[in-house]
Each structure stands twice: as C-alpha cells, then as structure tokens.
Amino acid sequence: MKGFSDVRFRVLLSCVLLIGLGLFLYSSILSFEYVWDDTLLFVDKVSLLNEPLSWELVSQPVLFGTSYFRPLVFLSWYAEFKFWGQSSTVSHAIHLVLYLLNCLLVYGVARIFLESCERRELKSLLAALVYCAHPVLIETTAWVSGRFDLFVSFFMYLAVLIYFSDKVKGKSALVGLFYVCALFSKELGLVFPFIIYALWMAKYGTGSSLLVSTKRFVGENRPLLILLVVISVVYLLLRSYSVGGIYHREISWLYVSEAYFSDFLPFKALLFYAYRLVLPFLAGGALHPYEYYWTGFYESFLAIAFALMAFVLVVRGLIKNERPIYWLILAGLFCLSLVLHIIPLTVGENLGHDRFLSSGLAFFVIAAMRPDYVGLLTQIKVRRKVAVGIVASCVVFWGAIVAFTHHSFLNVWKNEFSLWQESYRVYPDFKPGTYNYVYSALKSGRLEIAEEVLQEIAEEEGFGVSEQSLYADLLVRKGDPEALRYLEGLEVALPKFHQGEVPIYMITSFHVTPKQLGGFYSTYASALVVFEGDLEKAKEYNDIAAWYLEKGEVLPLLYQRAAIEYLLGNYDEALDKLVVISSWNFAHKEDLVAFFEMLVEKYCSGKESLEPCEQFDQKEAKWLQIEEQLARGLGS
C-alpha cells in the first residue's frame, strides 16, 4: 500500500509540474491576436456568426478548392462564438487548455511504453516535459487555426491511452468513438489504425518473428479492427458527399517526376522534420519554403542519403523485431506520412510546417527515452559518474536552448505584423511572405515600412500585379490623389476574369490570386469614393471585388458597400444594414466601423451641405441612434 501511495504521489507531482511548465511557457498567448488564415477560416466567415447550426455549415471545405473535411473543429468554433463571441483571448484560452491536456495524455502514454525501463517515472516525466517544451508546438498552440492539429492529437492520444488501459469497460466502443472524433478533426486521423498496430507491436509484439506477432495482433484485435475499417469506409463516403471528393489533387506522373526525381521533396521533407525535431532553434514563423532547403546538388544528395539510411535502419529494426524503439519511431512516421510530399500537398511552396509534427512528436520523444544512454556510454569505457554527467549536461543544454527559442519565437505569433516580419527576416526573397509582410504593415498603419519594402522590390525586380495592388493601397492610405491614376492604369492592364475574358482557372498564370484581385478592386472602389466622389462607379467596383472573394472574405466589403449606399442617399437602409452586420459578434469590428466612418468623412470633406454628410456631421437623432446601436453591438 505504501508503494502504491508513493506512485500516486509521483504521478500527481508530475502532472502538477507539467501544468506549471505549460502555463509558464504559453500563458502569454492569451493576449495574442488572430493571425494568418484565422481571418479566412473563421474571423470573417459570416456563416459561422449568424447562420443556424447545420451539417452544411460545419462540413464545408476548410478552404475553397480543397477537400479538407473537419466538421468537429468548425463545430467548436461555432459553439465558442455563440457562447463568448469572437474573442482572441477566449480562442487562445481554449488552445491553452487543449495543449495542457495533451501534455498530460503524453505523460500517460509515456508511462505505458516506458514501463519496462529503469527509472520509469523519471523517463516518463522527462518525455512529457520534452513534448511540453518542444518549440515545434508553438505554431499549433499559439495559432488559433492550429486547432485542427490540437484536436486530432488529443483524440488520438486519448484513444491510445484507453486502448492500452486494462481497467476501461467498453474499450472498443470508446476507441471507435475517439477515432471518429480524430477523423472529424483532421484527415490525419486515417493513420490511427496503423498507429495502433505499431504501438501494439512496441508493447507486446517484440521478441517474436514479425509475421507471428502481426497474426497475433490481428487475432486479438479482430472486432476492433473491423470497427475501425467500417468507420473509415463510412468516413470516406461522408467526406466525398460533403466536400465533393476524397481528395482535391491527383497523383500524376508529372507530379511524381517533379516531386520525386527533380525536387526530391519526400526526401527533403523527411530530413526537414528530423531537423525540426532535433534542432528546432534556427527559424521560427509560419513559412518554410522548399526553395530555401537543400537546393544544391550536394544538399539534395545529403537529403536522399539521410532518408535512405533512416529507412534502412528502421526497416531493419522492424524486421528483426527486437526493440520497441523502432515501432515507436514508425508510429511517429505514420503521423508524418500524409505530409511528406508522397502525395500532392496544398501548402503553397512550403516544404513543411511545424504543426505537422504535433501528433507524431509524442511517439518520437517516447522513443528517445527508451535507450539507456548512461549504459551505452559505460560500454565504451566511460566511467558511470562521467556518463551521468554527460547525459545530464546534454539534457540541460538542450533545455536551455529550448527556453531561449520559446522566448525568441513565441511572440512572433502575437499579431499579424510580427508574424510576417519574422518570415520576411528569414526569407526576404520569398514572394508570398513578402506580400503578407507588406500587407500586414499597411493594415497596422506602418506605411513607412510598407513603402520601404515596396521600393526595394521596385528597384530589384520591378512590380508584379500583386505588388502594384499593394502600392496602390499604400497611395490611398497616404491620401495621395496619384493613387487613382495608378489604379486606373492597373485596372486597364488586368485581365477581366469577372467578364469572362479569361477563364478563372488561368489566374495563376498571372502570378496573382483571387483574393489579391478582390483586394485591388476594393481599393479602387475606396479611391473612387475618396478622390473622385464617384459613388456609382465605386458601387460597381465593390460588386466586382465581391465576385473574386469567397463568402468568408466579403465582410469588409459589406462595410464599404454600406458607406457607398449611405452616401448615395440610401442612408436609412445602409445604416440599418450596418447595425445588423455589426451585431454579429466578430473580431476587428471596431476597425471595420472606423473604415465605414473614414470613407464617409473623406467623401464629405468640403461637401457638408449634402444631406448624408450633414446628418453625419451634425449627429442628428437618426445617426445618434445608430451610434448607440453600434456601440451596443461592439460591446457585446
């Protein structure tokens, strides 16, 4: 009884330490803002704010043109916004709780797979501490759109813990339930049955031949395996029905020849993730463009050699089936299998992302705790005390670098500008990152930074369509009337996809995206209001901008349209509409209301005698009523 009490106390103390470390590392994210794809995925997604709950609402593709099917995460955002509104503090608080739960689950899983090791409790705690502090979790934890990876990791870890527990009743049903939850969180859930196989082999299957152990696994788990297969088939059918297909990209010979034999992407991706696991200290931020990683002949050769060597070592270990460590590594590799560029990925020009390591990280760190490093050193004639000192020094040194990395890179995710500033610092020639950096500088009012970067681009390589659009936006924000002439010239030069002159699928040939074109036409509409007072033409270009944007991107256009309608004399209708959309509890509401007021003020400068301007300027009863309603909406 005394020993049992001691174990319980050590487990409780370990949980307290993990929670304390997690709070110390990540409590600052509560003050972080929404960044990057947050706006596209849910901040400006009008449907999540005002439509009733339905299957169509939560099962829609994550991004237009993709087949990413993740209804459970969208349901979580829908519920969150209904209860607390769109608050970045609430969103990050939910992430902090999920992250802490994952740390505790990893500790529980580590205790299972380190049970046969000496100093089991210490190694289990150390594995969970490494998981908790590892810098690759920064992206998943500090970025609200990383919830997909938080969710799928949580449900897979929970299912693993239940599966290997001896005291849980209805184990198969619970594992099946959490498998469904993992699938509904992210496509990665599909690898869960393979993870169970690898972990079962690590726990029970070593020491026998691979074939015998595999037959034993199937025999002992036949009902569960049948259930997982049935769930997988139903999931794929439901996915195909909801998002129009199993996957939105096909594996063609062209892709294989370019990705495998020209760019060597699968080999480089494997080396990239190994590098991020062991040495995640040299680059933070959102982007890791493959054109920056091992692009020369010798670097490519190194990537191929590393991948092949790792493959041979792991396969040899699996075939011999003597050590659990190889099966734990295989479980981690299963978690990476969908993002190694073996199949085409929709990740821009990035080789990988830290968030893709979130689920596999647990199995890699547990595998790293299996060997007896002190024993290995003593085998090569190192004195035991010296060996202990070497191992302890390595752990302390790695921990110190991790602490510095967290201090350096966590705050990168605090707002849009800091995120893209870091990406621009590391990859100054990567065009998508540069575009986002300039755009975030414009949005945050750092016009001098945007102008400096745009001037550098103009001097070095000249403007493309996207840079011209940004420059026009800069001129509008500076109040430079030259903006209108510049916009007119650019508008003439742009292909008119919205008029059918060029098919929309050819848009990539012009090195521009629909969102960028929508932003350009929106900027043009604002310039027509501010510099020309041409409201009818501004209304026309507001419609064109909406043509290029997805439903979740049009929220700023609604405020622009309300301002135009107001100035055209339809101000009762326009302001009533403004109150309706401002009653939706979304983030950045204050900025969009300020945008509405800026357009009205700029148009009315020198035109105070006009009825809408007079009403706006004199704050008559109707306008005061609207302001009260707006203030009530903003405070909700």
Side-chain angles (χ1 to χ4, degrees):
M1 182 63 72
K2 181 178 180 182
F4 177 73
S5 299
D6 289 341
V7 170
R8 290 183 60 184
F9 175 76
R10 287 197 293 269
V11 169
L12 179 60
L13 181 60
S14 296
C15 292
V16 171
L17 287 174
L18 285 169
I19 293 173
L21 177 62
L23 291 174
F24 173 76
L25 290 173
Y26 283 104
S27 59
S28 61
I29 68 172
L30 297 176
S31 63
F32 286 12
E33 301 175 5
Y34 293 122
V35 298
W36 197 8
D37 283 347
D38 290 349
T39 298
L40 182 59
L41 294 182
F42 57 86
V43 172
D44 287 349
K45 191 153 269 184
V46 180
S47 55
L48 285 175
L49 296 165
N50 65 92
E51 292 184 9
L53 182 62
S54 65
W55 175 251
E56 289 74 17
L57 180 65
V58 297
S59 66
Q60 59 189 298
V62 171
L63 292 170
F64 177 77
T66 72
S67 58
Y68 297 140
F69 172 70
R70 302 166 185 179
L72 189 59
V73 179
F74 277 103
L75 178 62
S76 76
W77 279 324
Y78 176 87
E80 175 189 337
F81 300 155
K82 289 298 179 183
F83 282 108
W84 299 291
Q86 262 187 0
S87 164
S88 59
T89 299
V90 172
S91 296
H92 283 107
I94 292 171
H95 271 227
L96 184 58
V97 171
L98 284 169
Y99 157 76
L100 293 174
L101 290 174
N102 282 347
C103 291
L104 296 177
L105 289 174
V106 170
Y107 172 62
V109 173
R111 294 186 75 249
I112 292 171
F113 291 98
L114 298 174
E115 187 175 18
S116 61
C117 296
E118 291 185 16
R119 300 181 181 274
R120 171 203 184 187
E121 295 299 334
L122 178 61
K123 284 194 169 188
S124 300
L125 175 59
L126 188 58
L129 288 172
V130 170
Y131 175 88
C132 182
H134 203 290
V136 298
L137 290 184
I138 290 176
E139 179 176 344
T140 306
T141 309
W143 182 36
V144 178
S145 291
R147 188 172 298 184
F148 303 114
D149 295 277
L150 275 177
F151 264 43
V152 73
S153 299
F154 173 78
F155 289 115
M156 285 203 297
Y157 295 160
L158 188 56
V160 167
L161 200 60
I162 289 173
Y163 174 79
F164 287 98
S165 174
D166 296 328
K167 300 179 180 180
V168 176
K169 295 181 179 180
K171 185 184 299 185
S172 293
L174 286 174
V175 171
L177 173 63
F178 293 128
Y179 177 48
V180 172
C181 292
L183 288 171
F184 278 21
S185 298
K186 193 175 182 180
E187 296 72 18
L188 177 61
L190 280 169
V191 305
F192 176 73
F194 301 97
I195 292 173
I196 285 294
Y197 167 66
L199 295 179
W200 187 93
M201 293 293 288
K203 181 70 174 173
Y204 306 116
T206 53
S208 304
S209 73
L210 180 60
L211 182 59
V212 169
S213 295
T214 301
K215 287 182 177 178
R216 185 172 146 225
F217 165 76
V218 174
E220 293 183 5
N221 295 277
R222 186 171 283 108
L224 175 62
L225 293 177
I226 292 173
L227 176 62
L228 297 183
V229 169
V230 170
I231 290 172
S232 300
V233 172
V234 172
Y235 163 78
L236 291 174
L237 292 174
L238 186 60
R239 176 192 181 92
S240 180
Y241 166 77
S242 299
V243 297
I246 299 298
Y247 194 52
H248 54 277
R249 298 190 64 180
E250 295 182 356
I251 301 179
S252 63
W253 172 247
L254 177 62
Y255 174 80
V256 171
S257 62
E258 289 184 353
Y260 292 18
F261 305 117
S262 178
D263 296 327
F264 310 113
L265 291 184
F267 306 101
K268 292 180 178 179
L270 186 61
L271 182 56
F272 167 79
Y273 287 117
Y275 153 73
R276 296 302 293 168
L277 276 170
V278 181
L279 298 170
F281 315 122
L282 303 179
L287 303 179
H288 299 286
Y290 59 72
E291 66 184 61
Y292 282 80
Y293 285 89
W294 309 297
T295 55
F297 172 79
Y298 292 107
E299 292 89 342
S300 298
F301 177 80
L302 175 65
I304 295 172
F306 171 82
L308 292 177
M309 181 180 67
F311 177 79
V312 169
L313 287 174
V314 172
V315 170
R316 180 176 178 272
L318 294 174
I319 292 174
K320 292 183 69 175
N321 198 27
E322 294 176 349
R323 300 177 183 275
I325 185 174
Y326 295 106
W327 291 105
L328 290 166
I329 292 172
L330 183 63
L333 290 175
F334 280 141
C335 292
L336 285 174
S337 59
L338 301 183
V339 293
L340 290 177
H341 295 274
I342 297 170
I343 60 174
L345 296 180
T346 308
V347 290
E349 300 174 43
N350 289 286
L351 184 59
H353 290 288
D354 285 355
R355 65 182 182 273
F356 296 155
L357 276 166
S358 298
S359 299
L361 178 62
F363 308 117
F364 288 125
V365 297
I366 293 171
M369 296 300 148
R370 290 285 311 182
D372 180 5
Y373 297 103
V374 173
L376 291 173
L377 289 172
T378 56
Q379 289 179 14
I380 57 173
K381 308 304 182 184
V382 177
R383 294 174 59 185
R384 185 169 182 82
K385 287 186 177 180
V386 176
V388 172
I390 292 173
V391 173
S393 298
C394 289
V395 171
V396 171
F397 179 71
W398 193 87
I401 300 179
V402 163
F404 177 77
T405 301
H406 262 277
H407 177 74
S408 301
F409 292 143
L410 180 62
N411 284 335
V412 164
W413 292 88
K414 66 182 178 182
N415 57 52
E416 194 86 14
F417 178 75
S418 61
L419 176 65
W420 298 117
Q421 184 181 44
E422 172 64 15
S423 295
Y424 180 75
R425 181 189 70 81
V426 180
Y427 308 114
D429 299 322
F430 187 53
K431 285 190 175 182
T434 302
Y435 177 90
N436 287 330
Y437 179 47
V438 174
Y439 183 64
S440 65
L442 291 172
K443 283 177 61 178
S444 60
R446 296 173 170 88
L447 303 186
E448 68 287 349
I449 293 177
E451 187 168 16
E452 180 182 348
V453 176
L454 287 171
Q455 285 178 350
E456 291 177 1
I457 295 173
E459 293 171 0
E460 292 176 5
E461 57 188 79
F463 283 166
V465 174
S466 58
E467 290 82 12
Q468 292 183 66
S469 179
L470 288 172
Y471 183 67
D473 193 356
L474 172 66
L475 294 178
V476 172
R477 292 173 188 268
K478 291 176 65 176
D480 188 342
E482 182 62 23
L484 196 56
R485 308 283 82 80
Y486 192 87
L487 287 162
E488 288 172 349
L490 183 57
E491 194 274 338
V492 171
L494 283 174
K496 306 299 186 291
F497 297 99
H498 54 279
Q499 294 178 357
E501 292 181 2
V502 183
I504 190 65
Y505 68 81
M506 293 184 62
I507 194 169
T508 54
S509 303
F510 297 88
H511 304 289
V512 69
T513 66
K515 185 176 182 180
Q516 289 170 348
L517 285 180
F520 163 75
Y521 285 111
S522 175
T523 300
Y524 195 6
S526 294
L528 288 167
V529 173
V530 171
F531 299 118
E532 288 284 326
D534 192 339
L535 300 175
E536 291 294 343
K537 195 172 182 181
K539 184 177 178 180
E540 175 188 346
Y541 281 101
N542 176 272
D543 287 337
I544 294 174
W547 188 89
Y548 285 96
L549 299 179
E550 298 177 33
K551 187 176 181 180
E553 299 173 322
V554 300
L555 201 51
L557 289 182
L558 298 180
Y559 281 81
Q560 184 184 65
R561 183 58 173 260
I564 294 170
E565 293 287 355
Y566 172 81
L567 293 170
L568 281 169
N570 305 323
Y571 45 87
D572 283 352
E573 178 184 347
L575 290 174
D576 288 342
K577 183 182 297 184
L578 186 64
V579 169
V580 170
I581 57 180
S582 290
S583 66
W584 303 337
N585 223 349
F586 62 91
H588 311 311
K589 197 183 306 185
E590 296 90 339
D591 295 338
L592 292 178
V593 173
F595 172 58
F596 170 92
E597 294 182 340
M598 181 276 293
L599 287 176
V600 175
E601 288 174 358
K602 293 287 187 182
Y603 176 87
C604 289
S605 179
K607 305 185 186 70
E608 289 79 4
S609 59
L610 294 177
E611 183 178 356
C613 300
E614 187 175 312
Q615 179 170 292
F616 180 83
D617 185 55
Q618 296 179 3
K619 308 292 185 186
E620 292 183 354
K622 175 66 176 177
W623 180 251
L624 289 175
Q625 178 187 351
I626 295 298
E627 282 195 324
E628 288 176 5
Q629 290 175 289
L630 282 175
R632 195 179 308 122
L634 292 172
S636 61

